[in-house]
Amino acid sequence: MDNEVKLHGFWPSPFVYRVIWALKLKGIEYDYIEEDLANKSELLLRYNPVYEKVPVLVHAGKPISESLVILEYIEEVWPHNPLLPKDPYERSVARFWINFATDKGRSAVRSLFWGGGDGKKEAAEQMFDLLKIIEEQALGDKKFFGGNSINMVDLIFAWFACWIQPMEQLVGIKVLEPSRLPSLHAWVKNFKEEPIIKENLPDPERLLAYYTRLTSNLVSKPT
């Protein structure tokens, strides 16, 4: 019980997968509890009464909420197989890009995939501009954002490695073109082929079906 680790999640969530990958990369055993977000469990509401959202990591009976906070907690409690550089400057650079992804990424995704039809082409170009900055300034010529191995920056940016394909199919717009973003396209391939990542990926067809239903429900709701 003292070292028991549990993760409350919801299968389509990229924020949950960040935590899954971090635990797997560090070799930490845990129990996974799938939540029904339409009928949230009493445990979820007790563990995260403020946001009532997943992921929630429970370690030795103590809950930790919000994916970025959870990743930092995992890194501090289990420092082996580090997900952040040891050098203070390099660590600050990694945190800069983590904050960049959090600050810019959500609004760009929301504009492209949940916005109105007329603005989707403009939103797609804005998304491309964002990804180009990430490719040139953060990734460069490295295999991973962490260099030769996956680090926390890779986990944060991984939403477009695994979720971009079904979302592109949903809106009918291609964003991650190999000819325009060759390094990022190669990174996606490298990331998804890492054994631990490959063994713990959501099914793209299931994701597409989920987001199709979600979009249909949003469109059909009265305003």
Side-chain angles (χ1 to χ4, degrees):
M1 179 63 182
D2 288 345
N3 294 313
E4 189 175 53
V5 179
K6 295 183 179 182
L7 175 62
H8 292 253
F10 180 50
W11 72 267
S13 170
F15 306 106
V16 171
Y17 272 89
R18 291 173 177 176
V19 180
I20 291 174
W21 292 328
L23 293 170
K24 293 286 187 179
L25 286 167
K26 286 182 175 286
I28 300 163
E29 294 186 5
Y30 67 97
D31 293 325
Y32 178 78
I33 298 95
E34 176 72 9
E35 290 285 348
D36 178 1
L37 298 188
N39 185 26
K40 297 172 184 176
S41 70
E42 291 183 10
L43 276 178
L44 177 61
L45 298 178
R46 185 201 309 166
Y47 287 146
N48 191 1
V50 177
Y51 292 114
E52 301 182 354
K53 296 191 303 184
V54 296
V56 173
L57 185 77
V58 183
H59 180 214
K62 298 177 180 178
I64 305 98
S65 304
E66 295 295 292
S67 63
L68 292 181
V69 178
I70 294 171
L71 291 182
E72 290 278 0
Y73 179 86
I74 290 171
E75 183 72 351
E76 291 181 14
V77 175
W78 297 284
H80 63 281
N81 300 338
L83 296 174
L84 285 171
K86 291 184 178 180
D87 178 76
Y89 175 74
E90 294 299 328
R91 185 177 288 238
S92 73
V93 171
R95 286 198 169 110
F96 171 86
W97 288 112
I98 289 169
N99 290 337
F100 181 88
T102 304
D103 181 41
K104 303 293 185 182
R106 290 186 186 183
S107 59
V109 171
R110 191 177 296 112
S111 297
L112 179 58
F113 298 110
W114 310 123
D118 294 339
K120 285 194 183 297
K121 286 187 178 180
E122 181 180 351
E125 282 305 307
Q126 291 174 351
M127 174 68 81
F128 169 77
D129 292 341
L130 176 67
L131 295 179
K132 195 65 178 176
I133 291 172
I134 294 169
E135 180 180 72
E136 293 180 348
Q137 302 298 326
L139 182 61
D141 59 359
K142 301 189 294 292
K143 181 179 181 180
F144 299 111
F145 289 95
N148 292 323
S149 60
I150 290 172
N151 76 357
M152 198 178 295
V153 181
D154 292 276
L155 302 186
I156 298 303
F157 282 133
W159 62 266
F160 66 84
C162 308
W163 279 259
I164 194 72
Q165 181 182 354
M167 287 184 169
E168 285 176 333
Q169 290 179 258
L170 183 64
V171 299
I173 297 175
K174 188 73 174 175
V175 176
L176 196 61
E177 291 279 6
S179 59
R180 300 182 77 191
L181 296 164
S183 296
L184 264 183
H185 192 268
W187 169 80
V188 169
K189 185 173 183 291
N190 291 331
F191 182 82
K192 293 170 75 172
E193 287 182 353
E194 276 292 294
I196 285 179
I197 304 299
K198 189 174 183 179
E199 293 167 7
N200 297 277
L201 286 172
D203 177 62
E205 293 301 321
R206 192 181 177 201
L207 279 178
L208 177 60
Y210 169 77
Y211 283 116
T212 300
R213 290 195 306 271
L214 183 62
T215 304
S216 300
N217 291 338
L218 290 174
V219 170
S220 62
K221 281 185 178 180
T223 56

